[in-house]
Amino acid sequence: MKRLFLLLLLSSSAHLLLAQLKVDWRQFDSIPLIELGGDTLGDAWVGGLNNPQFSTIDLDNDGKEDLFVFERDGNFVRTFINTGSTGQVSYVHAPKYESKFPNLEYFALLRDYNGDGLKDIFTYQNPGIAVYKNVSQGSNIAWEQQCYFKDFNGVPQCYLTMYFGPAGPSRFRTQIFTIPEDIPAFDDIDGDGDLDILSFGVQGTAITYYKNISTNLDTLDFAHCTDCWGKFFESSISNDIVLNFNCRDSGTCAEIPIPQGDPIPVKKRGARHSGSTILTFDRDADGDKEVLLGDISFPNMVIGQNGGTSNTAEMTSYAKDYPNNTRPVELFIFPAGFYEDVNNDGVKDLIVAPNAPLESENHRNVMFYENTRSDNRPNFIYRQREFIVGDMLDLGSGTSPLLIDINGDSLLDILVGNSGYYKRASAFPSGLAYLENTGLYTDSTTYPIYTLRDTNYLNLFDDSLGALCPSAADIDADGDLDLMIGDRAGKIHFFQNNAQNQNDSVNFTAVPSWDTLIDVGSWATPTFYDLDDDGDLDLVSGERYGTLYFYLNQGDSANPVFSNSFRMSNWGGVAHQDILGDGFTQPFIVKLDTNGKIASDTSNGDLYLFVGNVDGNVYLYSNIEGNLFGNFTLQDTFLLGTSKSSIHGADLSRDGKLDLVYGQQTGGLGVLLKGRGFELPTPPPSYTLEFTIQTDSGWIIPSAIMDLEGVQRTADSLGKVIYQGLSPGSFSWSATGTLFSTSYQGMDTIQISSDTAVTVLLSPILGVSMNDKLNQLKVFPNPTRSELNISLSEGIISSVSVIDVHGRQVLSDVGNDSEIVLNLSGYNKGVYFLKVETNFGEAYRSFILIE
């Protein structure tokens, strides 16, 4: 019967929704949550913080500096309104401002570069640093990205550039160098009233100084001054710094008399570290800036004492384990310091947080040092290790909630799995936390109160078991809910509920035989529902790479049987991936009526699929019933402003409507109530795109590989690829496939303004492969003293770029021929890289320029 039903499902037509679900879930943060110690958390549902970066800004235009937090682990923003009085630290989460900020990544610091009293944004943008000018009017927050910076060829760019070299024919512009792992310093280094930049250079052990040479405060213009600001470099084997290091300057900042002797050879300095953070401030009121350094490999911070001047910095001594007059910084690993007044006393304090996503402390991880003296002669006193995060529920990283009655009182408690708490390098033991619903539902109180009872429920902490995602279902048909837990290895663990009566507290006992039944590869996120309406529970699970697996139950309600023979991959056409190919999908299935009320199996309603994933949003799918083997319809997107979301739901407020609780990569939870709370941002247009891949002669190409905006997908047996999600106006694709032993390829860009079904045609690849043709590219002579010839025996060279070892483009040329000759006279000797654009694609070569 199961095989017959499967065939019927495959041939069934899509179920048509007769009425549209009213989507109105809102962020709600007023449910009380009491922590283990008995204190009620002030901002329980913010979501936790893993690698926060702190700046201050007046968000509500009341004259008080509020708090801007950029979370590097996921690249999102949290905003907090300052409610403290003088000498008091008090902030309240204010999510309505978060969507006002542009998309940011790696680092984001707020600085007023033009002196208009409004904080601007400095953030990473490949290949360097982007700036967003604050153009707010009152409480109407707005930004304009600055794109007037000129590159080597004089072309405007949206990243900061600088002059390199003295005035003359060899002077050129290139980007200000930084790497994503670092946090540069944006500060007035030379005391002339404008913002300069300090960033670790290409070798990574010494600091490069970019002097602001703007003649107008409203513009930004920089010059490369020296590659050894402060005359020191970091050791390659520790976080000690080596003093008395001189190097050549570029000749641009002649007012800085850096000695012109030969620099210390690179080999004596060792290889670069893979990350460093820089904070500058005047420690001794002498007008120059000291430097506070964090290193990716160490838990403490190093202070360099500037014995020079504001124009000629020279670190003459240093101290580790800073601050050394109080409890020093100790955060495993990669601490970053931030200098802001957070207690309203008019003096900047020191905040320190880890800066290494997936490798550093993710719980009780923000150290607050009160400055008890002045900005230019600080005296830091340690106050706490839970600045801001102490008011949040923070369970490490990667939370996954489950709403379930644990203690038999008919109130919905919450079990929360996580990816782990930081324990030591590469060790993140995972477990379950238990939040008991201790609320009293009355006519005036229609939501629960939660009390954190246990952070190691069922004693599951184990270094070998990670990324726990709990799910509950009556899998053995005995009238109570059993517990299934997915893990990082792709397995699902079964805990049978052996409670004597339905209203008793649960009594979960592990059933080890389940561990070998199901394997989705990695990051199993199970949910159970009777999808084929045959009286037993089927299984759907997400997995690491962004799709869903559907297991049709081959047993019965009391004895489920799941096997790969009845497993469907890419279920519903759901696919979510980031640029690295990770998706971390997590499904939740429920039956709802048009008002969002939870429907019973026999009442009117439709099935809906909620999917959390790596991008932090939650996607709502419909068109499921009668279409189990088709592609579902993406109905809505919840923009949650977080990363790696998970989702579960039930009726929390006892109004019959579905409420939702979502987990986050940063270790906390959020709540979405139906029709109550802060409205989520309106998502950009979301489209369903259906591509049919054919040869140029009309043959369908099954199993073709299509790249859609950097994410690869495989066509089904009918040559179709489905994309659902937030789509750009212009959509790029490329595809390859094989049919009748002939290889085909093609690429194009299409404009998207609605749901689209399009047929794409691929052309045969004839003769030698593209790689074979690119391999015929010749670069000679190599090494060369002046001229470099680039030739391609079969094909056209359209452009050539020369890139130095710093990653800077120093020369480019365009053409429309099989050969280009470059004149390299006047360029410094050394190793360079070539990027060659041809009609066959890109090719890369290296060459050496000698004297």
Side-chain angles (χ1 to χ4, degrees):
M1 287 297 293
K2 285 284 185 179
R3 293 181 183 274
L4 175 60
F5 183 71
L6 177 61
L7 292 174
L8 290 174
L9 282 173
L10 286 169
S11 62
S12 66
S13 59
H15 173 68
L16 297 178
L17 292 175
L18 298 179
Q20 189 80 356
L21 174 67
K22 297 176 183 176
V23 179
D24 186 24
W25 280 276
R26 304 180 186 182
Q27 205 166 23
F28 192 81
D29 60 4
S30 298
I31 294 176
L33 198 159
I34 303 168
E35 62 176 342
L36 285 172
D39 294 332
T40 299
L41 297 176
D43 272 325
W45 308 100
V46 174
L49 295 170
N50 285 349
N51 304 111
Q53 301 171 13
F54 297 91
S55 301
T56 55
I57 180 174
D58 186 359
L59 293 168
D60 55 0
N61 203 34
D62 67 349
K64 293 176 65 174
E65 292 288 277
D66 306 303
L67 197 61
F68 164 90
V69 181
F70 173 71
E71 172 56 58
R72 181 178 170 182
D73 190 2
N75 295 321
F76 59 85
V77 170
R78 291 285 179 262
T79 51
F80 299 83
I81 292 297
N82 188 346
T83 59
S85 56
T86 301
Q88 182 185 26
V89 177
S90 181
Y91 293 91
V92 175
H93 184 221
K96 70 178 182 178
Y97 299 102
E98 293 166 359
S99 62
K100 305 293 186 181
F101 287 82
N103 292 329
L104 308 168
E105 60 179 354
Y106 294 111
F107 65 80
L109 299 174
L110 305 187
R111 303 286 188 268
D112 179 10
Y113 76 83
N114 57 359
D116 63 356
L118 302 176
K119 298 284 185 73
D120 311 295
I121 303 173
F122 289 77
T123 186
Y124 181 82
Q125 176 178 296
N126 188 37
I129 299 170
V131 177
Y132 290 85
K133 181 180 176 180
N134 191 335
V135 293
S136 303
Q137 298 291 327
S139 58
N140 182 24
I141 298 174
W143 310 92
E144 286 182 359
Q145 185 171 8
Q146 303 301 285
C147 295
Y148 55 82
F149 314 112
K150 302 294 180 64
D151 67 5
F152 180 84
N153 296 303
V155 177
Q157 300 293 341
C158 296
Y159 52 82
L160 286 176
T161 61
M162 53 85 178
Y163 283 112
F164 189 94
S170 62
R171 192 186 199 193
F172 63 90
R173 277 189 173 277
T174 187
Q175 84 269 18
I176 291 178
F177 180 81
T178 190
I179 63 172
E181 290 78 13
D182 287 358
I183 299 182
F186 303 93
D187 196 0
D188 182 6
I189 299 301
D190 53 9
D192 64 353
D194 55 29
L195 283 180
D196 309 299
I197 299 175
L198 298 179
S199 177
F200 272 89
V202 176
Q203 294 297 331
T205 54
I207 291 178
T208 300
Y209 171 33
Y210 303 98
K211 176 180 170 58
N212 190 332
I213 59 171
S214 307
T215 57
N216 179 351
L217 272 181
D218 204 41
T219 62
L220 286 169
D221 200 8
F222 294 90
H224 175 283
C225 283
T226 177
D227 283 323
C228 57
W229 179 84
K231 300 183 183 180
F232 73 93
F233 64 87
E234 282 192 315
S235 167
S236 61
I237 58 175
S238 71
N239 62 344
D240 288 293
I241 63 177
V242 180
L243 307 175
N244 300 313
F245 170 48
N246 295 323
C247 65
R248 295 182 184 273
D249 68 18
S250 68
T252 302
C253 296
E255 71 275 16
I256 302 179
I258 302 296
Q260 298 297 300
D262 289 336
I264 295 176
V266 172
K267 65 181 180 181
K268 290 187 179 180
R269 289 185 274 155
R272 80 156 273 115
H273 290 301
S274 55
S276 297
T277 64
I278 306 172
L279 175 66
T280 55
F281 53 85
D282 187 357
R283 182 189 183 195
D284 50 9
D286 64 352
D288 57 35
K289 297 298 174 75
E290 277 68 47
V291 63
L292 185 63
L293 301 173
D295 189 278
I296 194 169
S297 302
F298 297 91
N300 57 338
M301 302 196 80
V302 177
I303 185 80
Q305 178 64 39
N306 192 347
T309 68
S310 60
N311 281 331
T312 309
E314 181 174 4
M315 301 305 141
T316 53
S317 65
Y318 71 95
K320 301 170 75 169
D321 298 321
Y322 186 81
N324 48 25
N325 64 310
T326 186
R327 177 177 175 175
V329 171
E330 186 177 8
L331 284 172
F332 295 90
I333 53 179
F334 202 8
F338 307 93
Y339 200 38
E340 301 284 355
D341 176 17
V342 296
N343 65 348
N344 297 293
D345 65 354
V347 179
K348 292 183 178 180
D349 308 295
L350 177 63
I351 309 297
V352 183
N355 191 49
L358 307 180
E359 298 182 80
S360 54
E361 293 192 50
N362 57 10
H363 178 64
R364 301 186 66 244
N365 59 347
V366 183
M367 303 185 76
F368 167 45
Y369 293 85
E370 182 184 1
N371 183 354
T372 61
R373 200 152 50 196
S374 63
D375 286 350
N376 65 349
R377 194 176 177 84
N379 181 54
F380 296 126
I381 303 298
Y382 171 78
R383 294 305 186 199
Q384 61 168 304
R385 192 184 169 89
E386 295 180 306
F387 175 73
I388 293 295
V389 293
D391 288 328
M392 309 174 192
L393 176 68
D394 192 343
L395 302 172
S397 292
T399 49
S400 295
L402 169 67
L403 292 164
I404 179 177
D405 180 10
I406 293 294
N407 57 1
D409 63 358
S410 299
L411 300 179
L412 287 170
D413 309 303
I414 306 178
L415 286 184
V416 190
N418 72 355
S419 294
Y421 294 94
Y422 178 89
K423 182 177 180 182
R424 60 181 184 275
S426 302
F428 286 82
S430 300
L432 291 179
Y434 167 36
L435 279 67
E436 181 187 359
N437 187 343
T438 54
L440 297 175
Y441 288 80
T442 66
D443 291 340
S444 60
T445 304
T446 57
Y447 49 78
I449 297 173
Y450 283 105
T451 300
L452 179 60
R453 296 298 192 197
D454 192 353
T455 57
N456 188 20
Y457 183 73
L458 297 182
N459 297 310
L460 295 181
F461 279 141
D462 185 340
D463 288 356
S464 63
L465 193 65
L468 301 186
C469 179
S471 180
D474 184 6
I475 202 69
D476 53 8
D478 65 351
D480 55 32
L481 292 177
D482 306 297
L483 182 66
M484 280 66 65
I485 303 175
D487 72 4
R488 180 182 286 116
K491 307 292 186 180
I492 297 176
H493 306 267
F494 175 41
F495 293 79
Q496 188 174 37
N497 188 352
N498 295 314
Q500 295 297 313
N501 302 295
Q502 289 189 18
N503 294 327
D504 291 347
S505 296
V506 297
N507 180 18
F508 294 130
T509 304
V511 181
S513 60
W514 260 65
D515 298 0
T516 59
L517 293 178
I518 299 166
D519 187 351
V520 302
S522 57
W523 265 266
T525 56
T527 191
F528 294 84
Y529 201 93
D530 183 7
L531 290 165
D532 56 4
D533 201 27
D534 66 348
D536 58 37
L537 294 172
D538 306 300
L539 165 64
V540 176
S541 178
E543 48 88 38
R544 175 172 181 170
Y545 300 107
T547 63
L548 298 178
Y549 286 108
F550 169 44
Y551 289 81
L552 192 66
N553 189 343
Q554 298 302 294
D556 55 38
S557 60
N559 299 285
V561 176
F562 301 106
S563 72
N564 288 333
S565 299
F566 286 86
R567 184 183 82 172
M568 179 182 181
S569 59
N570 300 311
W571 187 57
V574 174
H576 297 280
Q577 287 183 325
D578 63 12
I579 194 169
L580 299 177
D582 288 329
F584 299 108
T585 42
Q586 189 269 327
F588 165 63
I589 301 169
V590 66
K591 191 175 185 180
L592 301 173
D593 66 16
T594 56
N595 292 314
K597 289 192 174 182
I598 302 172
S600 67
D601 293 338
T602 58
S603 60
N604 292 330
D606 291 288
L607 283 183
Y608 291 91
L609 168 68
F610 294 80
V611 179
N613 76 109
V614 68
D615 69 14
N617 301 321
V618 168
Y619 296 86
L620 174 62
Y621 293 89
S622 57
N623 192 21
I624 299 171
E625 291 173 284
N627 188 35
L628 292 184
F629 291 84
N631 292 308
F632 305 150
T633 299
L634 178 61
Q635 181 166 331
D636 213 320
T637 302
F638 303 160
L639 300 182
L640 301 180
T642 184
S643 64
K644 198 187 284 187
S645 58
S646 60
I647 191 74
H648 197 257
D651 180 10
L652 286 178
S653 49
R654 293 196 165 186
D655 57 1
K657 297 179 181 179
L658 176 70
D659 302 309
L660 299 166
V661 177
Y662 61 92
Q664 307 177 50
Q665 168 62 15
T666 44
L669 298 178
V671 177
L672 301 174
L673 294 189
K674 195 72 167 69
R676 287 193 293 167
F678 166 70
E679 292 188 13
L680 297 173
T682 302
S686 178
Y687 305 123
T688 298
L689 314 180
E690 179 182 281
F691 296 85
T692 301
I693 305 175
Q694 296 183 3
T695 70
D696 53 5
S697 56
W699 291 93
I700 289 173
I701 308 179
S703 301
I705 304 298
M706 174 171 270
D707 184 293
L708 302 176
E709 294 290 319
V711 178
Q712 288 191 346
R713 292 175 172 83
T714 303
D716 62 19
S717 59
L718 298 178
K720 294 185 182 297
V721 170
I722 305 296
Y723 172 88
Q724 295 174 320
L726 306 180
S727 301
S730 178
F731 207 97
S732 298
W733 64 267
S734 63
T736 58
T738 302
L739 189 67
F740 307 133
S741 301
T742 300
S743 296
Y744 293 83
Q745 69 175 8
M747 64 176 60
D748 201 356
T749 299
I750 60 175
Q751 295 296 317
I752 302 300
S753 59
S754 62
D755 291 353
T756 301
V758 61
T759 299
V760 301
L761 301 180
L762 308 187
S763 301
I765 305 173
L766 303 176
V768 297
S769 70
M770 298 301 179
N771 285 335
D772 291 336
K773 292 184 178 183
L774 286 176
N775 287 337
Q776 296 174 13
L777 182 72
K778 296 181 180 179
V779 176
F780 61 95
N782 190 7
T784 183
R785 284 184 169 83
S786 57
E787 287 191 347
L788 189 70
N789 297 272
I790 304 105
S791 67
L792 188 62
S793 58
E794 295 182 48
I796 299 298
I797 299 174
S798 56
S799 69
V800 174
S801 300
V802 178
I803 303 166
D804 67 13
V805 293
H806 301 174
R808 301 179 296 214
Q809 179 179 299
V810 299
L811 177 64
S812 66
D813 200 358
V814 295
N816 189 28
D817 202 347
S818 61
E819 184 174 1
I820 285 181
V821 180
L822 297 180
N823 183 357
L824 300 171
S825 300
Y827 290 91
N828 296 329
K829 65 179 180 179
V831 177
Y832 292 83
F833 303 93
L834 282 175
K835 176 183 177 182
V836 184
E837 295 275 0
T838 78
N839 58 320
F840 301 132
E842 296 177 355
Y844 295 85
R845 299 289 188 272
S846 63
F847 69 91
I848 300 174
L849 182 62
I850 59 176
E851 291 181 347

